[in-house]
Amino acid sequence: MTLFEAVGGEPTFRKLVDEFYAGVADDPLLRPMYPEEDLGPAADRLTLFLMQYWGGPRTYSEQRGHPRLRMRHAPFRIGAAERDAWLRHMRRAVDRLDLPPEIASALWDYLERAAYFMVNVMEDPAAGA
């Protein structure tokens, strides 16, 4: 059984992403990264990507090709602050799913690794001094 099936399929991933974007909508650091007036298109893309990654339909690749996550996010400044804000909203979203601990842990482990992977701005800790 895939994680996609274990969590209940598409409805669970839609809930996860809806909860995540509810936080992003009011986040002054993250919201500017979504140029569309409506977060709906971004939410659809993330939902399709996560469903495919976890063993669901391959709709994301059929519509958009290879995910190329770093390339698609390259135009945006993603430093530690942006990563941490993203993780804060995603943590809240994962927690609201009330998944069994082993499934929640697997999902969170991937999301956390992905967030760190997306960082494209290395900040100099001495620069703030």
Side-chain angles (χ1 to χ4, degrees), residues 11-126:
T12 300
F13 282 96
R14 292 231 176 255
K15 181 178 180 187
L16 171 71
V17 172
D18 288 348
E19 291 285 345
F20 169 73
Y21 279 109
V24 169
D26 296 323
D27 189 300
L29 189 60
L30 296 182
R31 183 59 181 101
M33 291 186 190
Y34 298 90
E36 295 151 321
E37 243 179 80
D38 176 14
L39 289 171
D44 286 341
R45 290 188 298 268
L46 181 56
T47 301
L48 292 175
F49 170 76
L50 290 173
M51 289 185 342
Q52 176 175 305
Y53 181 85
W54 291 105
R58 297 193 45 79
T59 310
Y60 181 92
S61 288
E62 291 166 4
Q63 291 180 359
R64 298 184 49 85
H66 188 280
R68 300 185 310 253
L69 295 179
R70 283 188 62 96
M71 184 200 77
R72 292 184 196 274
H73 290 82
F76 305 102
R77 180 197 186 286
I78 303 173
E82 292 80 7
R83 175 201 65 213
D84 293 348
W86 191 92
L87 284 169
R88 184 175 54 254
H89 295 298
M90 193 56 82
R91 177 81 259 176
R92 183 183 53 81
V94 170
D95 289 347
R96 292 211 172 153
L97 293 178
D98 198 29
L99 296 170
E102 65 279 359
I103 292 175
S105 179
L107 180 59
W108 180 249
D109 180 59
Y110 167 75
L111 293 167
E112 191 172 40
R113 283 184 289 117
Y116 275 81
F117 177 72
M118 301 308 280
V119 171
N120 60 19
V121 175
M122 296 301 150
E123 293 140 348
D124 180 2

